[in-house]
Amino acid sequence: MSAVYRAAIKVADRFVPAKLQPLWNHEAGPKTIFFWAPTFKWALVIAGIADLRRPAERLSLTQSTALAATGLIWSRYSMVIIPKNWNLFSVNIFVAATGLYQLARIVNYRRELEARN
Amino acid sequence: SSSSGHSRMSAGGNLFTRGLRYLASKEFRSYLCSTHFWGPVANWGLPLAALADVKKNPEMISGKMTTALFFYSMAFMRFAWRVQPRNMLLFACHFTNDTAQLVQLCRFTDYWYVKDEAQRQQLRRQYEDAAGEAAAEVAVAEPKK
């Protein structure tokens, strides 16, 4: 199997335009897992974007906190690993941002409820 | 040391004492304070949630999401292996998640494609009854004011 893969990559290498060569051959580029793992995460995150519109009373406090915390921790982690991974960094910043946004919505909602009672 | 039963003198003591000494070392303590540790710790929520779901009603399983997470954890297993420094805690986390997702995938396939409608109805009733009992227990524990 890997022989097939290597042959395919050898062919593809010739078709990559000169300007894109540094990106194509980057240590965190599309020939490595350091590219595809975060890209997969982006796909999951984009699929979950519809959840941002859920009404505040249906949001889970623990889940939003967990997502915000995970996003922040992983943003830092992606900067201390080798190779440094901006792809992973950006997806986790996004996850942290949405987590914090949802957290703010929950807190606001609960404050409003208390004010009404 | 005589208690370990080794015939030679071990360099710093037996495995147990050496292990304890490592846990107290500066190297280990700085690892515990690093994101190489806390990143994977944060990620463990995913497989733990999946393992908890194994007991629940198979109708709650999303075939698409389970498949997606299965490939996601496969990708991150390789990521954890190839990253510098190699991260075995992260690897273990995603290995566990893949196991759980595979179990869920099998439950999903069995429920919708192997069982017949009569069996599904019976299982539905079982889960409803269990949920009803749990609600009744809560009502007994917290009597209405």
Side-chain angles (χ1 to χ4, degrees), chain B residues 54 58 61 63 66-67 70 98-115:
Chain B
V54 168
I61 304 172
T66 308
T67 315
F70 178 70
D98 254 356
T99 310
Q101 299 300 339
L102 205 49
V103 167
Q104 290 291 69
L105 217 46
C106 291
R107 290 178 73 224
F108 178 83
T109 314
D110 172 71
Y111 187 81
W112 292 110
Y113 297 98
V114 175
K115 289 191 157 59

Side-chain angles (χ1 to χ4, degrees), chain B residues 44-120:
Chain B
W44 268 99
L46 189 61
L48 292 177
L51 288 170
D53 280 349
V54 168
K55 291 186 219 138
K56 297 193 192 141
N57 190 345
E59 288 198 349
M60 293 177 71
I61 304 172
S62 156
K64 285 187 205 148
M65 189 57 169
T66 308
T67 315
L69 285 176
F70 178 70
F71 286 108
Y72 173 78
S73 274
M74 259 205 283
F76 271 93
M77 272 200 276
R78 177 161 171 82
F79 182 93
W81 186 261
R82 295 288 251 110
V83 80
Q84 289 273 53
R86 181 166 286 172
N87 201 319
M88 291 311 288
L89 186 58
L90 185 64
F91 182 85
C93 163
H94 284 289
F95 184 85
T96 311
N97 192 42
D98 254 356
T99 310
Q101 299 300 339
L102 205 49
V103 167
Q104 290 291 69
L105 217 46
C106 291
R107 290 178 73 224
F108 178 83
T109 314
D110 172 71
Y111 187 81
W112 292 110
Y113 297 98
V114 175
K115 289 191 157 59
D116 56 38
E117 188 56 36
Q119 289 169 305
R120 281 196 284 271

Side-chain angles (χ1 to χ4, degrees), chain A residues 32-38 40-42 44 66 69-70 72-74 76-78 80-83 85 88, chain B residues 35-40 42-43 65 67-69 71-72 74-76 78-79 82-85 87 90 94:
Chain A
T32 72
I33 189 66
F34 306 117
F35 175 82
W36 291 105
F40 205 109
K41 190 161 185 174
W42 265 120
L44 284 182
T70 300
L72 289 170
I73 296 172
W74 273 77
R76 161 124 181 99
Y77 178 62
S78 50
V80 300
I81 51 174
I82 298 166
N85 202 321
L88 192 60
Chain B
T35 41
H36 297 283
F37 177 70
W38 289 104
N43 249 335
M65 189 57 169
T67 315
L69 285 176
F71 286 108
Y72 173 78
M74 259 205 283
F76 271 93
R78 177 161 171 82
F79 182 93
R82 295 288 251 110
V83 80
Q84 289 273 53
N87 201 319
L90 185 64
H94 284 289

Side-chain angles (χ1 to χ4, degrees), chain A residues 11-117:
Chain A
V11 170
D13 275 341
R14 275 183 269 140
F15 284 95
V16 177
K19 256 183 252 172
L20 293 178
Q21 286 279 358
L23 275 176
W24 175 251
N25 293 315
H26 194 272
E27 52 179 354
K31 286 197 254 182
T32 72
I33 189 66
F34 306 117
F35 175 82
W36 291 105
T39 304
F40 205 109
K41 190 161 185 174
W42 265 120
L44 284 182
V45 161
I46 289 168
I49 266 184
D51 266 0
L52 284 174
R53 288 224 204 91
R54 291 180 79 186
E57 60 262 23
R58 296 270 182 84
L59 293 173
S60 158
L61 183 67
T62 35
Q63 190 183 53
S64 303
T65 316
L67 284 174
T70 300
L72 289 170
I73 296 172
W74 273 77
S75 301
R76 161 124 181 99
Y77 178 62
S78 50
M79 292 288 103
V80 300
I81 51 174
I82 298 166
K84 217 172 194 176
N85 202 321
W86 290 103
N87 196 355
L88 192 60
F89 177 78
S90 56
V91 70
N92 281 294
I93 288 286
F94 189 82
V95 168
T98 48
L100 291 168
Y101 170 67
Q102 299 288 57
L103 211 48
R105 284 179 65 204
I106 297 170
V107 166
N108 261 335
Y109 173 73
R110 295 200 180 176
R111 226 179 262 166
E112 265 175 45
L113 265 186
E114 276 182 42
R116 255 184 267 156
N117 299 345

